[in-house]
Amino acid sequence: MQKERDDYLRYLIWHSLESIVFMTVALVIYLVRVIRKKPLARSLDRKEDIICKLIIGCILAYTFYFGVFPQTRDIPNIINKNIYTVEGVAQGYNEPTRSKKISVHILDDETQEDVYVTFYYEKVIKDGDRLVVQYLPNSKFGVLIERNGEIIETRIE
């Protein structure tokens, strides 16, 4: 049981670090190009290069703000095992992506709030499915624990 919990925590840490490292490398490459005034591509003229740099800069800033910062703030939550649990009913029909990542709105039984979480799962989540998901509070990324009474993963208490 302890081994499964450790694997679950490693999984959450790995997911957070993977995104943080990837986006940091992308940002460093972008900033080096901008500071050294090198074009992003040789086929672009000066105006096109400036427009592309502005667009890519905005995308990187957005991704950092809404992706990397929440995951960075979740690292202490992983270390301290401050993991939230939502139990409730899935809202809508949700199919996994090619990477088997799925995002679901869950109507929490306890608070009656709509909680939006993301986790890896291979099957379709249908409207009305009863779910139990443990997730990190800032990034809203977690693991499906139970679906319609079927245990998928072990809880962290």
Side-chain angles (χ1 to χ4, degrees):
M1 184 103 133
Q2 182 65 34
K3 183 181 183 314
E4 289 176 358
R5 288 183 184 167
D6 290 342
D7 288 344
Y8 175 59
L9 289 173
R10 278 192 205 108
Y11 170 75
L12 292 174
I13 291 168
W14 176 251
H15 175 75
S16 294
L17 290 178
E18 180 181 43
S19 297
I20 292 167
V21 169
F22 176 76
M23 287 307 304
T24 302
V25 168
L27 182 65
V28 167
I29 291 170
Y30 170 78
L31 289 175
V32 165
R33 289 282 201 192
V34 169
I35 291 169
R36 291 188 178 171
K37 297 182 182 178
K38 290 187 176 182
L40 292 177
R42 292 181 184 159
S43 62
L44 298 175
D45 67 19
R46 185 163 159 51
K47 277 186 178 180
E48 292 171 337
D49 186 57
I50 290 170
I51 291 170
C52 284
K53 284 179 181 174
L54 286 172
I55 291 170
I56 291 171
C58 289
I59 291 169
L60 282 171
Y62 177 85
T63 305
F64 241 83
Y65 187 77
F66 290 105
V68 174
F69 290 155
Q71 290 180 347
T72 304
R73 289 192 312 262
D74 273 336
I75 291 174
N77 292 317
I78 295 170
I79 293 167
N80 297 324
K81 297 181 182 175
N82 180 24
I83 298 170
Y84 290 16
T85 301
V86 61
E87 298 183 32
V89 178
Q91 305 296 302
Y93 181 85
N94 305 281
E95 289 189 36
T97 62
R98 286 185 182 169
S99 64
K100 303 197 178 16
K101 195 182 276 190
I102 192 165
S103 297
V104 180
H105 287 272
I106 301 172
L107 184 61
D108 191 341
D109 290 340
E110 197 173 298
T111 63
Q112 295 302 310
E113 287 183 37
D114 182 39
V115 180
Y116 184 72
V117 293
T118 301
F119 50 86
Y120 287 105
Y121 191 62
E122 296 180 0
K123 298 177 184 173
V124 171
I125 301 288
K126 297 176 184 168
D127 188 41
D129 282 354
R130 293 214 40 85
L131 304 176
V132 176
V133 177
Q134 285 191 306
Y135 65 97
L136 297 167
N138 295 302
S139 63
K140 305 290 188 201
F141 183 80
V143 174
L144 179 64
I145 302 299
E146 191 177 311
R147 177 179 179 217
N148 293 328
E150 176 189 352
I151 306 276
I152 310 293
E153 291 287 340
T154 307
R155 282 182 192 247
I156 291 182
E157 301 297 332

